[in-house]
Structures are given as structure tokens and as C-alpha cells.
Amino acid sequence: MKLTRTLTAMAMASMMAVSLVACGGGSSASDTTAAAADQPGGATEAAAQAAGGAEAAAPEGGTIGVCIYKFDDAFMTTYRNALQEILEGKGYTVTFMDGKNDQAEQNNQINNFIAQGVDALIINPVMTSAADQIIATVKDANIPTVLINREPTADQMSAYDKLVYVGCDARQSGTMQGELILDTENKGDINGDGKVSYIMIQGDPENVDAQYRTEFSVKALTDAGMEVEELDLQRGDWDRNKGQEIAQNDLAKFGDEIEVIFCNNDDMAIGALQAIQAAGRTVNKDIYLVGVDALDAALNEVVNGNMTGTVLNDAVGQAEGAVEAMEALLGGKTYAAGEQSIYVDYVKVTPENAADFQ
């Protein structure tokens, strides 16, 4: 059974306290804090000495390696900034590495961190299909590891008892997207023909989050008894420009047939909004648009009535959960198979509550 933590209240407080400014950009010297090349894995050794996997107090300080799939992802920029603030505030020496969306590059970074003797790793995999290799590598090195944002299967994680996944259940976010459409006055059937005609702008289809958001957003409609029609489904790779291009082409092709545009994240939704406005359409009047993440830019559009809604993917709450899990591992805690996933709840964001998250 998966361990689920409901952190909605904490999410609200965290979002109030920490500005979620989602800026892009590549790696630079300022993105990486003090290097940990010369320091031994003292905390890892202390954890290994804990008898029978019993928990002890996490050692103070220590060196932490963090691998992010790519720095210029808007959501992961917010997540990375939150991790850095929390870890450095606790006295850890932390180094962030940009995987540049290249799994081979990230594998090298993980191996380098292990060679440097870091005490723990936090990894946002480039590809979920690489989970077996990543898990085997950290297990061989006996490094406590927290995986974030991209979830392996329970069977994969069960191979190593010093491994935890902290994230959100993407099925919940997809369901909430569908509910946002069901909450409209016509339940998404703007033209009254008895069906909801939509296009789906998907993230990376290899990513389980993209798969679940795509599936469960539509499932929420059909479970409510709505007939649906998929006009198009294309991958936008989480990218704003690709979201704009896909929406532009589909609006030109399908015109007023499109009643709903589902986007697997906010960056693609903002790109889709640009195409909607250029086509002379009006969100919440003759078309609906939903995303996921609750980036600042998307929250502004929801407040202004230019997006139907979004779903808070709580970067700060997840960062707090990741550090908490990491410290438990450093203190000697181990996890049984089937209990290695810790979830932070999503939150549905509408024009009525969007300002609460800005």
C-alpha cells in the first residue's frame, strides 16, 4: 500500500510564504552552490551503522547532490529554487546539476556525485525508463536517494530500501482538469451538440505524469456521463512554443469545433492561449482552456479570465517532503516495498481561489 500524505494545508501556507516565480534559463555558475568534491560520505556511513534500519536523528549538515532533468523547465525551476532554499537553510552543502534533458549526461552526473562521496542524492530523472539503471547505481553505492517528479513503478523501487519517491499522483491532476470543465455552465459542451470536442496537448508521452493527465482528464468527463470527441492529440514536450504551435494549427484546422483545450502543463497552456487570442476566440466564452502547475503566469491568466483553471502542482510542498524523506534516510530509516511513494495533494485552482496562490 502506498503511503499518502495530505499536505494541502501546508501547500496553502507554503504558497503564501514563497513566491513561485517560474523563470526559465539554462545553467550558470549561480545555479550551482558550493561543490562537494572533497568531502566523504560521513552521513551515509552513519546511516549504514543504524541497527536494523532503526531511525536516528539525521546528521547536521552534509553534502547533497541534486540532479534536475533540465534547468529551463519552468516548474522544475520553481522546485529547484525551493529545494535550494530549504537545504541551505538547514546547513547542507548542495550542488545542483542540469541534466539538459539528456539521460546519458545525467547518468554521468550521478556517478560523479557518488565518486565525490555525497551523503545523499535527490534525483529528478530525465527519463522514467532509466529508473532501473539509476536505482541499481545508487543501490550499489549505498547512497540514500530521493526520486522526485517522475515516478518509477513500485516494483522498480522495491529493489532498494533506501529509496523514496516524493511527488504527486498525476491521476489526481488529470481528474481535477476534467472537473474544471464539468464545473462550467455547459460542462464543456459549448455548442450544445451533446458532446465535448477537445484537443489534447500532451507533455512527454514517456512521462507517466503526461500519460495520467491525458487519460484521467477525459475519464472525468466520461465518468460523469459526458460524450467526448478527441479532435487531436499531440506531444508538446512541456514547451510553451510547442503548445502555441499545436493550438494554432488545430484552431486553423478545426475552428469552432474545438470546445476544450487540455494541456498537460501551464507552459503549454499559456502558449495555447496565445494561439486562441490570435484566432479571435475568447476563453470561457467560446472555448475552455486548462493546464497544470499553477505557475505565476497561469495564475494571472486564471484571475483575468483568460484560462478556465489550472491545478496546483505544489513545488514547495514537494520540496519540503523530499528534504524530510532525505533526512529520514540519513537518520537510518529504510522503506519496505510498496511503501516508498509519498504523495503531496494537488489543488484545483479556479478564478474564485486563484488569487490565494499568487
Side-chain angles (χ1 to χ4, degrees), residues 7 19 45 86 95 100-101 141 158 165 244 298 304 318 327:
L7 297 177
S19 174
E45 293 168 5
I86 296 166
T95 303
K100 302 175 182 177
N101 208 25
S158 68
Y165 170 77
Q244 189 274 338
N304 293 329
Q318 289 176 69
E327 292 189 315

Side-chain angles (χ1 to χ4, degrees), residues 14-342:
S14 300
M15 294 292 291
M16 297 288 189
V18 182
S19 174
L20 296 187
V21 179
C23 53
S27 60
S28 66
S30 63
D31 286 315
T32 303
T33 58
D38 301 326
Q39 303 192 32
T44 302
E45 293 168 5
Q49 293 169 2
E55 288 188 64
E60 291 187 10
T63 59
I64 312 301
V66 182
C67 296
I68 302 298
Y69 96 100
K70 67 172 183 176
F71 277 4
D72 61 356
D73 177 289
F75 175 72
M76 288 312 301
T77 296
T78 300
Y79 200 141
R80 173 164 51 94
N81 290 341
L83 273 175
Q84 182 168 356
E85 181 176 344
I86 296 166
L87 287 166
E88 291 183 347
K90 287 176 169 285
Y92 293 100
T93 299
V94 55
T95 303
F96 290 84
M97 297 301 297
D98 180 2
K100 302 175 182 177
N101 208 25
D102 182 335
Q103 189 61 60
E105 174 81 9
Q106 186 176 76
N107 291 344
N108 289 334
Q109 293 166 357
I110 293 169
N111 288 328
N112 287 338
F113 275 138
I114 290 171
Q116 293 165 10
V118 296
D119 297 311
L121 287 168
I122 298 175
I123 302 173
N124 164 216
V126 172
M127 300 172 62
T128 50
S129 59
D132 286 325
Q133 180 180 359
I134 292 171
I135 293 168
T137 299
V138 298
K139 179 181 179 181
D140 287 346
N142 197 34
I143 299 287
T145 300
V146 179
L147 299 179
I148 60 173
N149 190 246
R150 296 180 173 184
E151 184 177 11
T153 66
D155 284 344
Q156 289 173 314
M157 290 192 291
S158 68
Y160 184 36
D161 62 3
K162 296 181 183 178
L163 178 76
V164 180
Y165 170 77
V166 175
C168 296
D169 184 346
R171 290 167 288 201
Q172 186 186 46
S173 63
T175 298
M176 287 181 175
Q177 282 191 305
E179 290 172 350
L180 287 167
I181 301 303
L182 291 170
D183 289 342
T184 63
E185 60 180 354
N186 45 35
K187 298 184 178 180
D189 183 15
I190 293 173
N191 60 20
D193 66 352
K195 62 185 177 183
V196 178
S197 301
Y198 69 91
I199 67 170
M200 180 72 66
I201 304 179
Q202 193 177 41
D204 175 1
E206 195 266 347
N207 186 322
V208 69
D209 283 11
Q211 296 166 17
Y212 282 151
R213 289 173 188 173
T214 297
E215 176 185 356
F216 282 82
S217 56
V218 177
K219 186 176 185 295
L221 298 182
T222 57
D223 284 353
M226 300 297 293
E227 182 181 343
V228 299
E229 177 186 23
E230 180 183 279
L231 298 174
D232 194 21
L233 185 157
Q234 289 196 49
R235 63 180 293 171
D237 290 323
W238 315 113
D239 183 79
R240 183 177 302 191
N241 292 332
K242 290 184 179 179
Q244 189 274 338
E245 180 182 355
I246 292 167
Q248 176 180 289
N249 291 340
D250 281 350
L251 286 164
K253 180 177 180 180
F254 299 107
D256 291 343
E257 289 182 67
I258 301 173
E259 296 170 296
V260 177
I261 298 182
F262 288 107
C263 298
N264 282 175
N265 78 340
D266 280 344
D267 241 16
M268 295 187 298
I270 292 168
L273 174 60
Q274 294 168 348
I276 289 169
Q277 293 173 331
R281 303 284 293 273
T282 304
V283 173
N284 295 328
K285 180 180 179 181
D286 57 29
I287 195 168
Y288 295 120
L289 173 66
V290 291
V292 175
D293 283 340
L295 299 178
D296 274 358
L299 291 172
N300 290 337
E301 300 298 354
V302 174
V303 168
N304 293 329
N306 296 322
M307 282 180 62
T308 306
T310 184
V311 180
L312 169 65
N313 189 7
D314 181 17
V316 176
Q318 289 176 69
E320 291 171 342
V323 173
E324 180 181 347
M326 180 201 76
E327 292 189 315
L329 290 169
L330 287 173
K333 182 176 176 63
T334 57
Y335 287 83
E339 298 181 349
Q340 293 171 280
S341 291
I342 300 172

